[in-house]
Amino acid sequence: MDGGLIFSLAIGQLADTLGYGPLFACLAVFDIIGALVLVVMMKRLTLPVTA
Amino acid sequence: MTVRRIAHLRWWIVALICLGTIINYLARNSLGVLAPQLKADFAFTTQQYSYVVGAFQLAYTVMQPVCGYIIDSVGLRLGFALFAVVWSVSNMLHAFAGGWQSLAAFRGLLGLSEAAAIPSGIKAIAEWFPARERSVAVGWFNAGTSLGALLAPPVVIGISYYYNWQAAFVFTGALGLVWAGLWYAFYRSPADHFAITGDELTLIEADRPPVVVAAKVSPAAILSTPRFWAIAIPRFLAEPAWQTFSFWIPLYLATERGMDLKSIALFAWLPFLAADMGGVFGGYLSPILMRRGLKLIPSRVAGVAIGAVLMIAPGCIGWATGPYLAIALFCVGGFAHQMISVMINTLSADVFTPAEVATANGFVGMAGWTGG
């Protein structure tokens, strides 16, 4: 999807000073944290059948 | 009068949703394609153009759960058709814009109505698909988003070249009106559909949650469940990657990799094709894992985890030695991101009932757009 707010603003501010490399690395780190959150919280993901 | 029954009707339903998604994304991407021309015609600054873009993004972010709630309340058939009419008219109104202010107003109107598309599509899939096939359906539905974006430049530039930019907005909007008619004519919930076979209805209903859920959808109740946050947090963290790919790849290739405009045009669409493939692949991966013994939820989580590991490849782009390796890594990134995205959207249809899923998915989408 196109759009979005926080990171789009951040990249606009940081791309010139930090360079793109660290920003792209951040994206991978975010996704890995997201996956870890999902794994840790997996037991909370109950199906409506058992609700 | 007897109505012809159609076997595997649910796959026709997902084709109809996918078509609606293509038209939705074609409409929203028309502006970006015409931006250079509009900027010259109206003599607005880049900052004023950013307000026009921002009007859409703000309206879209805020309205996703609201649209979802309206869809859950009035039902998909009428609700999705009405939102499609509003987004189509909003898009056609762009043709009458007289400056950046009126353009921003129409843009906001487009954002608040187009926000209905993803929650509606997910709800339709929740109504029509047994859990096992749901991710496959979401994968194909999701492919409509990039297809619409890929179609926008040739369609919009073609029309504005032969007629004018106003005609391009009218055309991409009018397609939505035709689609709204198709949707209203052919969409029903499985139990009410005139063309469903008995076999298919049995298959779908066998997979429904047996619990009767309160008819009133409560946004507060959705937000207070841990399962909502288990989905919304990864979505919030995943969306920045897509925003970055969507808006910064051409600029990055030009400034850091020294590519010229022609080579960028030749290659910059590849990550989006890879993204579509990633979404569809992720959709099929989940049932494959289930056949190997994984349960439903772990099969979705595994897809997200594999996607996250693949994201390490584009994370290393700073060390890529040449522009073509960089593009290849972007392709891996697009593939991985849409895999994650499809799994997360499918999860919202897994853990929320069909009656409340549009609202829940709207909130998940809102989290994503805030993060991105």
Side-chain angles (χ1 to χ4, degrees), chain A residues 1-8 11 20 24-25 28 30-31 38 42 44 48, chain B residues 25 28 57 226 230 237-238 242-244 248 311 317 350 369-372:
Chain A
M1 338 250 140
D2 52 319
L5 299 167
I6 297 174
F7 197 79
S8 303
I11 200 168
Y20 285 91
F24 287 131
F30 289 166
D31 272 318
L38 203 53
M42 192 156 67
R44 308 287 195 131
Chain B
Y25 275 72
R28 73 174 74 173
Q57 288 173 331
L237 289 166
W242 190 242
Q243 307 310 333
T244 308
W248 297 89
M311 280 301 291
I317 236 158
D350 290 331
W369 276 61
T370 310

PDB file of all heavy atoms in Angstrom, chain A residues 1-8 11 20 24-25 28 30-31 38 42 44 48, chain B residues 25 28 57 226 230 237-238 242-244 248 311 317 350 369-372:
ATOM      1  N   MET A   1       0.842  -1.198   0.000  1.00  0.00           N
ATOM      2  CA  MET A   1       0.000   0.000   0.000  1.00  0.00           C
ATOM      3  C   MET A   1       0.885   1.259   0.000  1.00  0.00           C
ATOM      4  O   MET A   1       1.982   1.261   0.543  1.00  0.00           O
ATOM      5  CB  MET A   1      -0.885   0.036   1.233  1.00  0.00           C
ATOM      6  CG  MET A   1      -1.111  -1.322   1.867  1.00  0.00           C
ATOM      7  SD  MET A   1      -2.728  -1.977   1.709  1.00  0.00           S
ATOM      8  CE  MET A   1      -2.363  -3.684   1.392  1.00  0.00           C
ATOM      9  N   ASP A   2       0.421   2.306  -0.557  1.00  0.00           N
ATOM     10  CA  ASP A   2       1.196   3.532  -0.540  1.00  0.00           C
ATOM     11  C   ASP A   2       0.689   4.420   0.596  1.00  0.00           C
ATOM     12  O   ASP A   2      -0.396   4.260   1.079  1.00  0.00           O
ATOM     13  CB  ASP A   2       1.072   4.265  -1.877  1.00  0.00           C
ATOM     14  CG  ASP A   2      -0.366   4.446  -2.276  1.00  0.00           C
ATOM     15  OD1 ASP A   2      -1.161   3.497  -2.082  1.00  0.00           O
ATOM     16  OD2 ASP A   2      -0.698   5.509  -2.770  1.00  0.00           O
ATOM     17  N   GLY A   3       1.504   5.321   1.020  1.00  0.00           N
ATOM     18  CA  GLY A   3       1.077   6.206   2.099  1.00  0.00           C
ATOM     19  C   GLY A   3       1.950   6.034   3.315  1.00  0.00           C
ATOM     20  O   GLY A   3       3.126   5.727   3.211  1.00  0.00           O
ATOM     21  N   GLY A   4       1.383   6.223   4.474  1.00  0.00           N
ATOM     22  CA  GLY A   4       2.148   6.015   5.694  1.00  0.00           C
ATOM     23  C   GLY A   4       2.702   7.316   6.241  1.00  0.00           C
ATOM     24  O   GLY A   4       2.781   8.308   5.543  1.00  0.00           O
ATOM     25  N   LEU A   5       3.077   7.282   7.510  1.00  0.00           N
ATOM     26  CA  LEU A   5       3.405   8.545   8.159  1.00  0.00           C
ATOM     27  C   LEU A   5       4.788   8.580   8.814  1.00  0.00           C
ATOM     28  O   LEU A   5       5.701   9.238   8.321  1.00  0.00           O
ATOM     29  CB  LEU A   5       2.312   8.885   9.193  1.00  0.00           C
ATOM     30  CG  LEU A   5       0.900   9.049   8.592  1.00  0.00           C
ATOM     31  CD1 LEU A   5      -0.149   9.074   9.694  1.00  0.00           C
ATOM     32  CD2 LEU A   5       0.810  10.299   7.753  1.00  0.00           C
ATOM     33  N   ILE A   6       4.973   7.851   9.923  1.00  0.00           N
ATOM     34  CA  ILE A   6       6.131   8.106  10.783  1.00  0.00           C
ATOM     35  C   ILE A   6       7.466   7.854  10.079  1.00  0.00           C
ATOM     36  O   ILE A   6       8.330   8.724  10.016  1.00  0.00           O
ATOM     37  CB  ILE A   6       6.054   7.256  12.080  1.00  0.00           C
ATOM     38  CG1 ILE A   6       4.821   7.674  12.899  1.00  0.00           C
ATOM     39  CG2 ILE A   6       7.309   7.469  12.924  1.00  0.00           C
ATOM     40  CD1 ILE A   6       4.573   6.813  14.125  1.00  0.00           C
ATOM     41  N   PHE A   7       7.616   6.634   9.508  1.00  0.00           N
ATOM     42  CA  PHE A   7       8.915   6.298   8.924  1.00  0.00           C
ATOM     43  C   PHE A   7       9.201   7.131   7.671  1.00  0.00           C
ATOM     44  O   PHE A   7      10.344   7.511   7.422  1.00  0.00           O
ATOM     45  CB  PHE A   7       8.996   4.803   8.604  1.00  0.00           C
ATOM     46  CG  PHE A   7      10.409   4.326   8.400  1.00  0.00           C
ATOM     47  CD1 PHE A   7      11.228   4.074   9.489  1.00  0.00           C
ATOM     48  CD2 PHE A   7      10.922   4.142   7.123  1.00  0.00           C
ATOM     49  CE1 PHE A   7      12.544   3.647   9.305  1.00  0.00           C
ATOM     50  CE2 PHE A   7      12.225   3.717   6.931  1.00  0.00           C
ATOM     51  CZ  PHE A   7      13.034   3.467   8.025  1.00  0.00           C
ATOM     52  N   SER A   8       8.130   7.419   6.891  1.00  0.00           N
ATOM     53  CA  SER A   8       8.315   8.247   5.699  1.00  0.00           C
ATOM     54  C   SER A   8       8.890   9.605   6.075  1.00  0.00           C
ATOM     55  O   SER A   8       9.748  10.154   5.378  1.00  0.00           O
ATOM     56  CB  SER A   8       6.988   8.434   4.969  1.00  0.00           C
ATOM     57  OG  SER A   8       6.443   7.189   4.636  1.00  0.00           O
ATOM     58  N   ILE A  11      12.628   9.052   7.194  1.00  0.00           N
ATOM     59  CA  ILE A  11      13.608   8.810   6.132  1.00  0.00           C
ATOM     60  C   ILE A  11      13.913  10.118   5.400  1.00  0.00           C
ATOM     61  O   ILE A  11      15.057  10.384   5.019  1.00  0.00           O
ATOM     62  CB  ILE A  11      13.136   7.684   5.177  1.00  0.00           C
ATOM     63  CG1 ILE A  11      14.314   7.108   4.392  1.00  0.00           C
ATOM     64  CG2 ILE A  11      12.068   8.132   4.233  1.00  0.00           C
ATOM     65  CD1 ILE A  11      13.988   5.815   3.667  1.00  0.00           C
ATOM     66  N   TYR A  20      21.502   5.985   3.109  1.00  0.00           N
ATOM     67  CA  TYR A  20      20.396   5.046   3.045  1.00  0.00           C
ATOM     68  C   TYR A  20      20.687   3.713   3.730  1.00  0.00           C
ATOM     69  O   TYR A  20      19.797   3.051   4.218  1.00  0.00           O
ATOM     70  CB  TYR A  20      20.025   4.747   1.587  1.00  0.00           C
ATOM     71  CG  TYR A  20      19.277   5.857   0.907  1.00  0.00           C
ATOM     72  CD1 TYR A  20      19.954   6.855   0.212  1.00  0.00           C
ATOM     73  CD2 TYR A  20      17.887   5.892   0.932  1.00  0.00           C
ATOM     74  CE1 TYR A  20      19.271   7.869  -0.445  1.00  0.00           C
ATOM     75  CE2 TYR A  20      17.195   6.899   0.285  1.00  0.00           C
ATOM     76  CZ  TYR A  20      17.891   7.881  -0.401  1.00  0.00           C
ATOM     77  OH  TYR A  20      17.205   8.868  -1.035  1.00  0.00           O
ATOM     78  N   PHE A  24      17.897   1.172   5.537  1.00  0.00           N
ATOM     79  CA  PHE A  24      17.447  -0.121   5.003  1.00  0.00           C
ATOM     80  C   PHE A  24      17.692  -1.235   6.025  1.00  0.00           C
ATOM     81  O   PHE A  24      16.883  -2.154   6.141  1.00  0.00           O
ATOM     82  CB  PHE A  24      18.148  -0.436   3.678  1.00  0.00           C
ATOM     83  CG  PHE A  24      17.658   0.408   2.540  1.00  0.00           C
ATOM     84  CD1 PHE A  24      18.541   1.065   1.699  1.00  0.00           C
ATOM     85  CD2 PHE A  24      16.294   0.553   2.311  1.00  0.00           C
ATOM     86  CE1 PHE A  24      18.079   1.854   0.652  1.00  0.00           C
ATOM     87  CE2 PHE A  24      15.819   1.349   1.259  1.00  0.00           C
ATOM     88  CZ  PHE A  24      16.718   1.996   0.431  1.00  0.00           C
ATOM     89  N   ALA A  25      18.809  -1.144   6.755  1.00  0.00           N
ATOM     90  CA  ALA A  25      19.087  -2.141   7.791  1.00  0.00           C
ATOM     91  C   ALA A  25      17.999  -2.097   8.866  1.00  0.00           C
ATOM     92  O   ALA A  25      17.550  -3.139   9.359  1.00  0.00           O
ATOM     93  CB  ALA A  25      20.464  -1.900   8.405  1.00  0.00           C
ATOM     94  N   ALA A  28      14.879  -4.210   8.113  1.00  0.00           N
ATOM     95  CA  ALA A  28      15.005  -5.636   8.406  1.00  0.00           C
ATOM     96  C   ALA A  28      14.851  -5.884   9.904  1.00  0.00           C
ATOM     97  O   ALA A  28      14.158  -6.820  10.325  1.00  0.00           O
ATOM     98  CB  ALA A  28      16.359  -6.148   7.917  1.00  0.00           C
ATOM     99  N   PHE A  30      13.214  -4.057  12.073  1.00  0.00           N
ATOM    100  CA  PHE A  30      11.795  -3.891  12.424  1.00  0.00           C
ATOM    101  C   PHE A  30      11.007  -5.173  12.153  1.00  0.00           C
ATOM    102  O   PHE A  30      10.209  -5.624  12.967  1.00  0.00           O
ATOM    103  CB  PHE A  30      11.149  -2.769  11.599  1.00  0.00           C
ATOM    104  CG  PHE A  30      11.597  -1.393  11.980  1.00  0.00           C
ATOM    105  CD1 PHE A  30      11.326  -0.315  11.148  1.00  0.00           C
ATOM    106  CD2 PHE A  30      12.282  -1.161  13.165  1.00  0.00           C
ATOM    107  CE1 PHE A  30      11.731   0.964  11.485  1.00  0.00           C
ATOM    108  CE2 PHE A  30      12.697   0.120  13.513  1.00  0.00           C
ATOM    109  CZ  PHE A  30      12.415   1.186  12.658  1.00  0.00           C
ATOM    110  N   ASP A  31      11.216  -5.750  10.956  1.00  0.00           N
ATOM    111  CA  ASP A  31      10.453  -6.942  10.591  1.00  0.00           C
ATOM    112  C   ASP A  31      10.784  -8.115  11.498  1.00  0.00           C
ATOM    113  O   ASP A  31       9.923  -8.915  11.830  1.00  0.00           O
ATOM    114  CB  ASP A  31      10.703  -7.314   9.124  1.00  0.00           C
ATOM    115  CG  ASP A  31       9.731  -6.586   8.209  1.00  0.00           C
ATOM    116  OD1 ASP A  31       8.543  -6.503   8.555  1.00  0.00           O
ATOM    117  OD2 ASP A  31      10.171  -6.093   7.161  1.00  0.00           O
ATOM    118  N   LEU A  38       5.142 -11.574  17.241  1.00  0.00           N
ATOM    119  CA  LEU A  38       4.099 -12.520  16.829  1.00  0.00           C
ATOM    120  C   LEU A  38       4.341 -13.909  17.422  1.00  0.00           C
ATOM    121  O   LEU A  38       3.415 -14.571  17.896  1.00  0.00           O
ATOM    122  CB  LEU A  38       4.076 -12.577  15.304  1.00  0.00           C
ATOM    123  CG  LEU A  38       2.793 -13.035  14.628  1.00  0.00           C
ATOM    124  CD1 LEU A  38       1.601 -12.227  15.111  1.00  0.00           C
ATOM    125  CD2 LEU A  38       2.935 -12.902  13.126  1.00  0.00           C
ATOM    126  N   MET A  42       1.935 -15.715  20.146  1.00  0.00           N
ATOM    127  CA  MET A  42       1.171 -16.662  19.328  1.00  0.00           C
ATOM    128  C   MET A  42       0.045 -17.347  20.108  1.00  0.00           C
ATOM    129  O   MET A  42      -1.030 -17.581  19.576  1.00  0.00           O
ATOM    130  CB  MET A  42       2.105 -17.708  18.729  1.00  0.00           C
ATOM    131  CG  MET A  42       1.467 -18.553  17.659  1.00  0.00           C
ATOM    132  SD  MET A  42       2.692 -19.229  16.536  1.00  0.00           S
ATOM    133  CE  MET A  42       3.553 -20.338  17.601  1.00  0.00           C
ATOM    134  N   ARG A  44      -1.794 -16.128  22.245  1.00  0.00           N
ATOM    135  CA  ARG A  44      -2.937 -15.221  22.391  1.00  0.00           C
ATOM    136  C   ARG A  44      -3.819 -15.220  21.156  1.00  0.00           C
ATOM    137  O   ARG A  44      -4.923 -14.682  21.177  1.00  0.00           O
ATOM    138  CB  ARG A  44      -2.452 -13.784  22.644  1.00  0.00           C
ATOM    139  CG  ARG A  44      -1.469 -13.635  23.768  1.00  0.00           C
ATOM    140  CD  ARG A  44      -2.168 -13.812  25.105  1.00  0.00           C
ATOM    141  NE  ARG A  44      -1.332 -13.328  26.193  1.00  0.00           N
ATOM    142  CZ  ARG A  44      -1.775 -12.501  27.130  1.00  0.00           C
ATOM    143  NH1 ARG A  44      -3.007 -12.065  27.126  1.00  0.00           N
ATOM    144  NH2 ARG A  44      -0.959 -12.118  28.090  1.00  0.00           N
ATOM    145  N   PRO A  48     -11.774 -17.893  16.702  1.00  0.00           N
ATOM    146  CA  PRO A  48     -13.085 -17.574  17.269  1.00  0.00           C
ATOM    147  C   PRO A  48     -13.863 -18.833  17.703  1.00  0.00           C
ATOM    148  O   PRO A  48     -14.727 -18.741  18.557  1.00  0.00           O
ATOM    149  CB  PRO A  48     -13.818 -16.837  16.147  1.00  0.00           C
ATOM    150  CG  PRO A  48     -12.900 -16.752  15.010  1.00  0.00           C
ATOM    151  CD  PRO A  48     -11.594 -17.349  15.357  1.00  0.00           C
TER     152      PRO A  48
ATOM    153  N   TYR B  25      -6.630   0.844  -6.780  1.00  0.00           N
ATOM    154  CA  TYR B  25      -5.231   1.288  -6.798  1.00  0.00           C
ATOM    155  C   TYR B  25      -4.877   2.043  -8.068  1.00  0.00           C
ATOM    156  O   TYR B  25      -3.995   2.902  -8.062  1.00  0.00           O
ATOM    157  CB  TYR B  25      -4.285   0.103  -6.552  1.00  0.00           C
ATOM    158  CG  TYR B  25      -4.117  -0.138  -5.071  1.00  0.00           C
ATOM    159  CD1 TYR B  25      -5.154  -0.686  -4.318  1.00  0.00           C
ATOM    160  CD2 TYR B  25      -2.955   0.239  -4.402  1.00  0.00           C
ATOM    161  CE1 TYR B  25      -5.029  -0.865  -2.947  1.00  0.00           C
ATOM    162  CE2 TYR B  25      -2.826   0.057  -3.036  1.00  0.00           C
ATOM    163  CZ  TYR B  25      -3.856  -0.493  -2.319  1.00  0.00           C
ATOM    164  OH  TYR B  25      -3.727  -0.656  -0.959  1.00  0.00           O
ATOM    165  N   ARG B  28      -6.085   5.573  -7.174  1.00  0.00           N
ATOM    166  CA  ARG B  28      -5.268   6.325  -6.222  1.00  0.00           C
ATOM    167  C   ARG B  28      -3.887   6.647  -6.775  1.00  0.00           C
ATOM    168  O   ARG B  28      -3.256   7.594  -6.339  1.00  0.00           O
ATOM    169  CB  ARG B  28      -5.179   5.608  -4.872  1.00  0.00           C
ATOM    170  CG  ARG B  28      -4.307   4.379  -4.839  1.00  0.00           C
ATOM    171  CD  ARG B  28      -4.175   3.844  -3.425  1.00  0.00           C
ATOM    172  NE  ARG B  28      -5.390   3.175  -2.947  1.00  0.00           N
ATOM    173  CZ  ARG B  28      -5.472   2.518  -1.791  1.00  0.00           C
ATOM    174  NH1 ARG B  28      -4.428   2.459  -1.003  1.00  0.00           N
ATOM    175  NH2 ARG B  28      -6.577   1.921  -1.421  1.00  0.00           N
ATOM    176  N   GLN B  57      -3.462  10.648   2.596  1.00  0.00           N
ATOM    177  CA  GLN B  57      -2.889   9.729   3.583  1.00  0.00           C
ATOM    178  C   GLN B  57      -3.541   9.865   4.945  1.00  0.00           C
ATOM    179  O   GLN B  57      -3.841   8.866   5.603  1.00  0.00           O
ATOM    180  CB  GLN B  57      -1.385   9.961   3.690  1.00  0.00           C
ATOM    181  CG  GLN B  57      -0.667   9.454   2.450  1.00  0.00           C
ATOM    182  CD  GLN B  57       0.798   9.803   2.442  1.00  0.00           C
ATOM    183  OE1 GLN B  57       1.205  10.804   3.009  1.00  0.00           O
ATOM    184  NE2 GLN B  57       1.586   8.978   1.808  1.00  0.00           N
ATOM    185  N   PRO B 226      -5.770  -9.013  23.399  1.00  0.00           N
ATOM    186  CA  PRO B 226      -4.348  -9.168  23.070  1.00  0.00           C
ATOM    187  C   PRO B 226      -4.151  -9.621  21.628  1.00  0.00           C
ATOM    188  O   PRO B 226      -3.150  -9.266  21.000  1.00  0.00           O
ATOM    189  CB  PRO B 226      -3.874 -10.266  24.032  1.00  0.00           C
ATOM    190  CG  PRO B 226      -4.931 -10.379  25.079  1.00  0.00           C
ATOM    191  CD  PRO B 226      -6.201  -9.873  24.511  1.00  0.00           C
ATOM    192  N   ALA B 230      -1.307  -8.388  18.951  1.00  0.00           N
ATOM    193  CA  ALA B 230      -0.364  -9.372  18.403  1.00  0.00           C
ATOM    194  C   ALA B 230      -0.269  -9.235  16.887  1.00  0.00           C
ATOM    195  O   ALA B 230       0.762  -9.550  16.290  1.00  0.00           O
ATOM    196  CB  ALA B 230      -0.796 -10.783  18.771  1.00  0.00           C
ATOM    197  N   LEU B 237       5.273  -2.448  12.466  1.00  0.00           N
ATOM    198  CA  LEU B 237       6.720  -2.558  12.244  1.00  0.00           C
ATOM    199  C   LEU B 237       7.058  -2.939  10.806  1.00  0.00           C
ATOM    200  O   LEU B 237       8.160  -2.669  10.325  1.00  0.00           O
ATOM    201  CB  LEU B 237       7.318  -3.590  13.213  1.00  0.00           C
ATOM    202  CG  LEU B 237       7.366  -3.162  14.685  1.00  0.00           C
ATOM    203  CD1 LEU B 237       7.657  -4.357  15.582  1.00  0.00           C
ATOM    204  CD2 LEU B 237       8.402  -2.070  14.891  1.00  0.00           C
ATOM    205  N   ALA B 238       6.130  -3.588  10.111  1.00  0.00           N
ATOM    206  CA  ALA B 238       6.428  -4.069   8.759  1.00  0.00           C
ATOM    207  C   ALA B 238       6.200  -2.995   7.700  1.00  0.00           C
ATOM    208  O   ALA B 238       6.885  -2.962   6.673  1.00  0.00           O
ATOM    209  CB  ALA B 238       5.569  -5.296   8.434  1.00  0.00           C
ATOM    210  N   TRP B 242       7.608  -1.150   3.178  1.00  0.00           N
ATOM    211  CA  TRP B 242       6.867  -0.976   1.922  1.00  0.00           C
ATOM    212  C   TRP B 242       6.844   0.484   1.488  1.00  0.00           C
ATOM    213  O   TRP B 242       6.975   0.801   0.309  1.00  0.00           O
ATOM    214  CB  TRP B 242       5.454  -1.532   2.084  1.00  0.00           C
ATOM    215  CG  TRP B 242       4.734  -1.614   0.791  1.00  0.00           C
ATOM    216  CD1 TRP B 242       3.595  -0.946   0.457  1.00  0.00           C
ATOM    217  CD2 TRP B 242       5.104  -2.383  -0.356  1.00  0.00           C
ATOM    218  NE1 TRP B 242       3.230  -1.257  -0.818  1.00  0.00           N
ATOM    219  CE2 TRP B 242       4.143  -2.131  -1.351  1.00  0.00           C
ATOM    220  CE3 TRP B 242       6.170  -3.243  -0.652  1.00  0.00           C
ATOM    221  CZ2 TRP B 242       4.196  -2.721  -2.602  1.00  0.00           C
ATOM    222  CZ3 TRP B 242       6.234  -3.826  -1.906  1.00  0.00           C
ATOM    223  CH2 TRP B 242       5.251  -3.563  -2.858  1.00  0.00           C
ATOM    224  N   GLN B 243       6.670   1.377   2.479  1.00  0.00           N
ATOM    225  CA  GLN B 243       6.665   2.810   2.155  1.00  0.00           C
ATOM    226  C   GLN B 243       7.998   3.195   1.548  1.00  0.00           C
ATOM    227  O   GLN B 243       8.058   3.950   0.577  1.00  0.00           O
ATOM    228  CB  GLN B 243       6.448   3.652   3.423  1.00  0.00           C
ATOM    229  CG  GLN B 243       5.240   3.269   4.230  1.00  0.00           C
ATOM    230  CD  GLN B 243       4.019   3.160   3.388  1.00  0.00           C
ATOM    231  OE1 GLN B 243       3.918   3.820   2.354  1.00  0.00           O
ATOM    232  NE2 GLN B 243       3.084   2.323   3.785  1.00  0.00           N
ATOM    233  N   THR B 244       9.062   2.665   2.146  1.00  0.00           N
ATOM    234  CA  THR B 244      10.394   3.011   1.665  1.00  0.00           C
ATOM    235  C   THR B 244      10.585   2.513   0.243  1.00  0.00           C
ATOM    236  O   THR B 244      11.069   3.231  -0.628  1.00  0.00           O
ATOM    237  CB  THR B 244      11.450   2.409   2.605  1.00  0.00           C
ATOM    238  OG1 THR B 244      11.119   2.804   3.932  1.00  0.00           O
ATOM    239  CG2 THR B 244      12.830   2.892   2.276  1.00  0.00           C
ATOM    240  N   TRP B 248      11.107   5.480  -2.316  1.00  0.00           N
ATOM    241  CA  TRP B 248      12.503   5.880  -2.316  1.00  0.00           C
ATOM    242  C   TRP B 248      13.375   5.080  -3.262  1.00  0.00           C
ATOM    243  O   TRP B 248      14.526   5.448  -3.496  1.00  0.00           O
ATOM    244  CB  TRP B 248      13.072   5.815  -0.894  1.00  0.00           C
ATOM    245  CG  TRP B 248      12.381   6.776   0.007  1.00  0.00           C
ATOM    246  CD1 TRP B 248      11.245   6.524   0.739  1.00  0.00           C
ATOM    247  CD2 TRP B 248      12.702   8.149   0.242  1.00  0.00           C
ATOM    248  NE1 TRP B 248      10.867   7.653   1.410  1.00  0.00           N
ATOM    249  CE2 TRP B 248      11.741   8.663   1.134  1.00  0.00           C
ATOM    250  CE3 TRP B 248      13.725   8.985  -0.209  1.00  0.00           C
ATOM    251  CZ2 TRP B 248      11.767   9.989   1.569  1.00  0.00           C
ATOM    252  CZ3 TRP B 248      13.744  10.298   0.248  1.00  0.00           C
ATOM    253  CH2 TRP B 248      12.773  10.780   1.118  1.00  0.00           C
ATOM    254  N   MET B 311      13.996 -10.524   4.806  1.00  0.00           N
ATOM    255  CA  MET B 311      14.190  -9.063   4.806  1.00  0.00           C
ATOM    256  C   MET B 311      15.617  -8.665   5.150  1.00  0.00           C
ATOM    257  O   MET B 311      16.013  -7.517   4.926  1.00  0.00           O
ATOM    258  CB  MET B 311      13.234  -8.392   5.803  1.00  0.00           C
ATOM    259  CG  MET B 311      11.818  -8.200   5.324  1.00  0.00           C
ATOM    260  SD  MET B 311      11.628  -7.205   3.837  1.00  0.00           S
ATOM    261  CE  MET B 311      12.078  -5.599   4.455  1.00  0.00           C
ATOM    262  N   ILE B 317      21.546  -3.773   1.818  1.00  0.00           N
ATOM    263  CA  ILE B 317      21.696  -3.084   0.540  1.00  0.00           C
ATOM    264  C   ILE B 317      22.833  -2.071   0.542  1.00  0.00           C
ATOM    265  O   ILE B 317      23.456  -1.815  -0.499  1.00  0.00           O
ATOM    266  CB  ILE B 317      20.332  -2.453   0.141  1.00  0.00           C
ATOM    267  CG1 ILE B 317      19.922  -2.961  -1.218  1.00  0.00           C
ATOM    268  CG2 ILE B 317      20.370  -0.946   0.164  1.00  0.00           C
ATOM    269  CD1 ILE B 317      18.473  -2.868  -1.491  1.00  0.00           C
ATOM    270  N   ASP B 350      -8.482 -14.757  10.467  1.00  0.00           N
ATOM    271  CA  ASP B 350      -8.486 -16.016  11.235  1.00  0.00           C
ATOM    272  C   ASP B 350      -9.044 -15.824  12.641  1.00  0.00           C
ATOM    273  O   ASP B 350      -9.820 -16.628  13.125  1.00  0.00           O
ATOM    274  CB  ASP B 350      -7.051 -16.566  11.371  1.00  0.00           C
ATOM    275  CG  ASP B 350      -6.499 -17.089  10.062  1.00  0.00           C
ATOM    276  OD1 ASP B 350      -7.300 -17.550   9.225  1.00  0.00           O
ATOM    277  OD2 ASP B 350      -5.272 -17.042   9.877  1.00  0.00           O
ATOM    278  N   TRP B 369      -0.420   2.109   8.583  1.00  0.00           N
ATOM    279  CA  TRP B 369      -0.237   3.408   7.922  1.00  0.00           C
ATOM    280  C   TRP B 369       0.409   4.414   8.854  1.00  0.00           C
ATOM    281  O   TRP B 369       1.118   5.315   8.406  1.00  0.00           O
ATOM    282  CB  TRP B 369      -1.574   3.930   7.392  1.00  0.00           C
ATOM    283  CG  TRP B 369      -1.865   3.355   6.069  1.00  0.00           C
ATOM    284  CD1 TRP B 369      -2.022   2.028   5.791  1.00  0.00           C
ATOM    285  CD2 TRP B 369      -1.983   4.044   4.822  1.00  0.00           C
ATOM    286  NE1 TRP B 369      -2.238   1.864   4.448  1.00  0.00           N
ATOM    287  CE2 TRP B 369      -2.228   3.076   3.843  1.00  0.00           C
ATOM    288  CE3 TRP B 369      -1.909   5.392   4.452  1.00  0.00           C
ATOM    289  CZ2 TRP B 369      -2.394   3.406   2.496  1.00  0.00           C
ATOM    290  CZ3 TRP B 369      -2.090   5.725   3.115  1.00  0.00           C
ATOM    291  CH2 TRP B 369      -2.323   4.739   2.150  1.00  0.00           C
ATOM    292  N   THR B 370       0.161   4.297  10.151  1.00  0.00           N
ATOM    293  CA  THR B 370       0.798   5.197  11.104  1.00  0.00           C
ATOM    294  C   THR B 370       2.298   4.916  11.155  1.00  0.00           C
ATOM    295  O   THR B 370       3.122   5.826  11.171  1.00  0.00           O
ATOM    296  CB  THR B 370       0.179   5.007  12.505  1.00  0.00           C
ATOM    297  OG1 THR B 370      -1.234   5.078  12.373  1.00  0.00           O
ATOM    298  CG2 THR B 370       0.643   6.070  13.462  1.00  0.00           C
ATOM    299  N   GLY B 371       2.648   3.628  11.149  1.00  0.00           N
ATOM    300  CA  GLY B 371       4.053   3.246  11.205  1.00  0.00           C
ATOM    301  C   GLY B 371       4.809   3.622   9.951  1.00  0.00           C
ATOM    302  O   GLY B 371       5.922   4.120   9.998  1.00  0.00           O
ATOM    303  N   GLY B 372       4.190   3.330   8.782  1.00  0.00           N
ATOM    304  CA  GLY B 372       4.854   3.532   7.498  1.00  0.00           C
ATOM    305  C   GLY B 372       5.207   4.973   7.248  1.00  0.00           C
ATOM    306  O   GLY B 372       6.018   5.300   6.422  1.00  0.00           O
TER     307      GLY B 372
END
